[in-house]
Amino acid sequence: VTTQNCAELGYTETSCPDGTGIKCPFGDTFACTGGSCANDCAELGFTYPCTGANESGSGKSCGGKYQSCTCASGYEWKDGACTNSCTIGAIYYSDGTCSNDKLASKTILGVVVYEKTSTEYGWIIDINVPLFAQWYNGTYVDIPQLPNYDTIPTDIQDSCTNTNIITDYCDSIRCPAAWAVKNYKPLGTPAGKNWCLPSAGLLNNIVNNFAKINTGISTAGGAELAKYWYLSSSEHSQNFVWVAISDPGHTYLTISYDEKGFSNHIRPVIAF
């Protein structure tokens, strides 16, 4: 029985650059004839296999290679590779793309404050006028499932975990800050995803990259970063929570801790 598998019959190309290919009778692939595809793919610019991380092939191919690769969300084709476009300070849009310039045709979700890796989420900060609330309303408690940190924590990835622990422990009357963030749904928020109260580790990363992030927020037309004190979701102790503090001149932020009952501003964050 003759096989009807196009690839086995030699019809391996999605198209032929010179238009001289023969189409497989059993599918939509081609066998390219003449030298232009069989021998000269590289000369025609078909040099990329598109099998690397965050890459895929699409469009015309020749010899199993492409003239450029299609990149995963958050990456752009640049200098022969899919390069991360969602770097710290970049504007992040609701369609999962990033740019260093404000694009009027897209909905801004926020500004990147932590870059995505193969093992870690990236994080975006909201650019709107900050929310304002108490971390805890009432006699101070030490939430059992929430770790206490005597020194600045490195809990960058724990923003939403911490927020969920807080909202599971207490209602919106006693824990207004965490609930305000969890209920926050600005335009462009992805379906099924929530904004979170940033962890102290993520706030510290914002402090350490203040200039880049503030430039991104300014470019996006957002609220200046250093005007306020910002709450984290990370406990210091029963009475205190980690915060980012603005200096009197509003030129930078630093990390410290403050009483849970004091009202402070909140910059929601969301993972990507």
Side-chain angles (χ1 to χ4, degrees), residues 82-241:
C82 285
T83 303
N84 183 6
S85 61
C86 294
T87 54
I88 291 177
I91 300 171
Y92 189 100
Y93 299 95
S94 60
D95 64 358
T97 61
C98 296
S99 73
N100 290 320
D101 300 313
K102 184 178 180 179
L103 304 178
S105 61
K106 297 190 176 189
T107 299
I108 296 174
L109 190 61
V111 166
V112 177
V113 295
Y114 193 78
E115 295 173 20
K116 185 177 182 178
T117 70
S118 60
T119 58
E120 292 185 309
Y121 290 117
W123 291 90
I124 308 153
I125 194 170
D126 184 57
I127 66 168
N128 298 308
V129 174
L131 306 176
F132 187 73
Q134 288 175 285
W135 199 92
Y136 194 85
N137 178 24
T139 303
Y140 298 158
V141 296
D142 191 355
I143 297 177
Q145 290 78 25
L146 207 59
N148 287 350
Y149 296 99
D150 292 330
T151 57
I152 300 172
T154 57
D155 58 342
I156 287 175
Q157 296 296 321
D158 291 343
S159 297
C160 292
T161 299
N162 291 348
T163 302
N164 290 334
I165 289 172
I166 297 167
T167 55
D168 286 346
Y169 181 82
C170 53
D171 58 25
S172 60
I173 302 299
R174 288 189 297 156
C175 295
W179 277 103
V181 173
K182 198 163 188 176
N183 292 328
Y184 187 60
K185 298 289 182 184
L187 182 66
T189 300
K193 295 192 71 174
N194 291 321
W195 292 81
C196 302
L197 193 60
S199 66
L202 187 57
L203 270 186
N204 193 43
N205 191 72
I206 293 168
V207 167
N208 292 335
N209 292 278
F210 172 80
K212 287 182 181 178
I213 295 167
N214 212 35
T215 296
I217 292 173
S218 177
T219 302
E224 184 180 344
L225 188 61
K227 284 186 176 181
Y228 311 104
W229 290 25
Y230 300 106
L231 292 171
S232 82
S233 57
S234 304
E235 281 189 330
H236 174 275
S237 57
Q238 178 172 320
N239 295 340
F240 295 96
V241 62

Side-chain angles (χ1 to χ4, degrees), residues 1 28 72 84 90 138 153 180 201 212-213 226-227 242-243 256-257:
V1 178
D28 294 324
N84 183 6
K212 287 182 181 178
I213 295 167
K227 284 186 176 181
W242 287 96
V243 296
S256 187
Y257 47 88

Side-chain angles (χ1 to χ4, degrees), residues 17 44-48 50 58 60-61 65-69 77:
L44 292 168
F46 293 85
T47 57
Y48 302 104
C50 300
S58 65
K60 291 183 177 181
S61 65
K65 295 184 178 181
Y66 302 83
Q67 290 177 314
S68 63
C69 303
W77 184 251

